[in-house]
Amino acid sequence: MSAPVFKLVPGCQSYDWGKRGQASLAAQLASKSVPGFKVDESKPYAELWMGTHPTLPSKLEDGPLCSELLKSNPHLTGESVTSAFPDSKEGSLPFLFKVLSIGTALSIQAHPDKSLAERLHKERPDVYKDPNHKPEMAIALTPFLAFLNFLPLPLVLLHLLTVPELEPLISQSLVDELAATLTLPSTRPADPFLFQPTASSPNHAQKEALKKVFGALMSAPTDKVQKSISELVQRYKSKTDIAESEQDLVDLAIMLDEQYPGDVGVLCVFLLNVVELKKGEAAFLGADMPHAYISGDIIECMATSDNVVRAGLTPKLRDVDTLVSMLTYEAGPGSKQLLQPTKFGTDDSTLLYDPPIDEFSVLKLNLDGGATTSHRAIAGPSLCIVTEGSGSVGWGEGDGEVAFEKGDVLFVAADKVMEWKAAGDKLELFRAFVEAAK
């Protein structure tokens, strides 16, 4: 019978947007947990993958796939999870756990809900590799910048009336339609005082108007888009005629154009919230929500899927029609996407990040050197990544204990109380788990 805790070998993905060489946290961690891994300073290292996704499944230290062990030892997964998630009977975990190191912006994207994912996979399996949805959560390890969903609609309208480079791309009739749904003026110059952000969700007419505006922008002719961006960047670099509502977006627009010259995604600074998360802050991204990670290092957890619908800031395949049609067009302050952690257990060492979906939750464990804590038995499997320090974990059965250090990845079986101890320095560890509702 397998021990309830054992180390895993993750995989490291090299995508162009990753940080290069040792600057990548994903590479730093992989150099500890992946045998024979050598960091190439000229190569981008974007993601450390932990889980059973067939694209890059985790393995045991002696070679077999983690999924093979779980299939032959269902007690490691736990009865409640194998009942709730049928694929887990075959050794699949319902979540994929990652560390991302973001050097340049990722694409403007969204992830399909379950029904759309099934249809896209059936129609285009070469592009959409699996039939699963992909809700995801990001926890900042360093300052983390991202686009998160649409701005409050009065601010979108203000940008449409203030930024002259948008006029050739989005017709006045669409601007008028959005303004009418908000009972705001569509005349220029706009009075910023009238365009105050709202926290309430948009109604159906407002969503339809936003959909038309976003669709017009994302499907605008490439030559017109490139001309508008060139004029925008020139205006920003010359620091002339910049409205107050644009001030905070100048550096970001210039940076995105340097990374993806002339790409329509540069203009999404005027439609999407730009949010900076501090270390430890988290955001939850449900299905059909536009977003893009811009910079920083994060922990990411998601349902086991690799389905992405892209439309900007990318050299990869764009599926603009699908993206425009699938979005919910919810809008509001970026803070609406933030997820507040709660205390887990009897002390303050562990925080629980618990998004409103079934497939995963994440614990963040912080212990000072020499300190200890325990986690109650969790009725499902866990994956852990050590991001700082070293320590050990025991499970109260004789002398059972596993020592670990920064970069180690652990599997923790279901239904076991875990005793955690930090060694001589501060310990930080993230534990993703699934626990089926009883």
Side-chain angles (χ1 to χ4, degrees), residues 59-349:
K59 300 177 181 180
L60 308 181
E61 289 187 304
D62 57 356
L65 293 176
C66 176
S67 57
E68 294 174 355
L69 180 69
L70 299 184
K71 182 178 180 179
S72 58
N73 293 271
H75 68 279
L76 296 174
T77 300
E79 183 177 353
S80 62
V81 170
T82 54
S83 297
F85 299 96
D87 287 350
S88 64
K89 292 184 175 69
E90 300 301 313
S92 295
L93 295 172
F95 62 86
L96 178 60
F97 200 28
K98 297 182 182 181
V99 175
L100 272 60
S101 292
I102 304 155
T104 59
L106 280 70
S107 57
I108 305 288
Q109 60 184 255
H111 306 299
D113 60 25
K114 186 74 172 174
S115 60
L116 178 59
E118 291 172 350
R119 179 170 66 81
L120 292 174
H121 177 62
K122 183 177 180 179
E123 294 174 353
R124 303 171 68 186
D126 56 323
V127 176
Y128 300 104
K129 307 288 188 181
D130 59 71
N132 203 13
H133 67 163
K134 193 186 177 186
E136 61 188 25
M137 178 173 64
I139 305 172
L141 294 171
T142 62
F144 166 57
L145 195 66
F147 285 131
L148 299 179
N149 215 358
F150 289 104
L151 284 163
L153 295 189
L155 298 185
V156 172
L157 179 58
L158 178 59
H159 286 315
L160 294 176
L161 296 172
T162 303
V163 180
E165 293 83 5
L166 294 176
E167 291 182 43
L169 308 177
I170 300 169
S171 70
Q172 185 61 39
S173 63
L174 293 182
V175 176
D176 291 340
E177 181 178 345
L178 179 60
T181 68
L182 297 168
T183 61
L184 287 171
S186 60
T187 52
R188 297 177 175 87
D191 179 358
F193 180 76
L194 300 176
F195 298 82
Q196 298 300 313
T198 55
S200 58
S201 294
N203 61 35
H204 177 73
Q206 291 164 348
K207 289 180 179 180
E208 285 298 307
L210 175 60
K211 180 178 181 178
K212 293 176 184 178
V213 167
F214 184 67
L217 176 64
M218 301 310 287
S219 59
T222 301
D223 58 340
K224 286 189 173 183
V225 169
Q226 291 176 342
K227 183 174 185 293
S228 285
I229 293 174
S230 175
E231 292 172 354
L232 176 76
V233 170
Q234 184 177 359
R235 178 165 65 89
Y236 280 178
K237 287 183 176 179
S238 67
K239 296 182 170 59
T240 56
D241 300 320
I242 299 174
E244 184 177 354
S245 56
E246 298 177 83
Q247 293 284 352
D248 291 341
L249 303 174
V250 169
D251 291 343
L252 177 58
I254 292 171
M255 182 187 79
L256 292 176
D257 183 60
E258 289 172 348
Q259 295 176 2
Y260 300 94
D263 190 292
V264 67
V266 175
L267 299 175
C268 285
V269 299
F270 303 117
L271 298 185
L272 302 178
N273 289 293
V274 180
V275 180
E276 182 170 3
L277 273 62
K278 302 180 181 66
K279 178 179 171 66
E281 292 184 330
F284 173 68
L285 303 166
D288 306 327
M289 180 187 301
H291 61 278
Y293 299 160
I294 298 171
S295 63
D297 298 297
I298 62 171
I299 291 285
E300 188 180 43
C301 200
M302 64 199 66
T304 299
S305 173
D306 202 25
N307 283 325
V308 181
V309 183
R310 301 179 179 89
L313 300 181
T314 181
K316 297 182 179 179
L317 174 72
R318 301 173 187 228
D319 193 348
V320 174
D321 291 344
T322 298
L323 186 77
V324 170
S325 67
M326 70 187 271
L327 299 180
T328 62
Y329 294 96
E330 283 295 329
S335 58
K336 288 179 68 173
Q337 312 311 134
L338 301 188
L339 182 73
Q340 298 300 322
T342 58
K343 191 169 80 167
F344 181 86
T346 58
D347 59 34
D348 295 329
S349 66

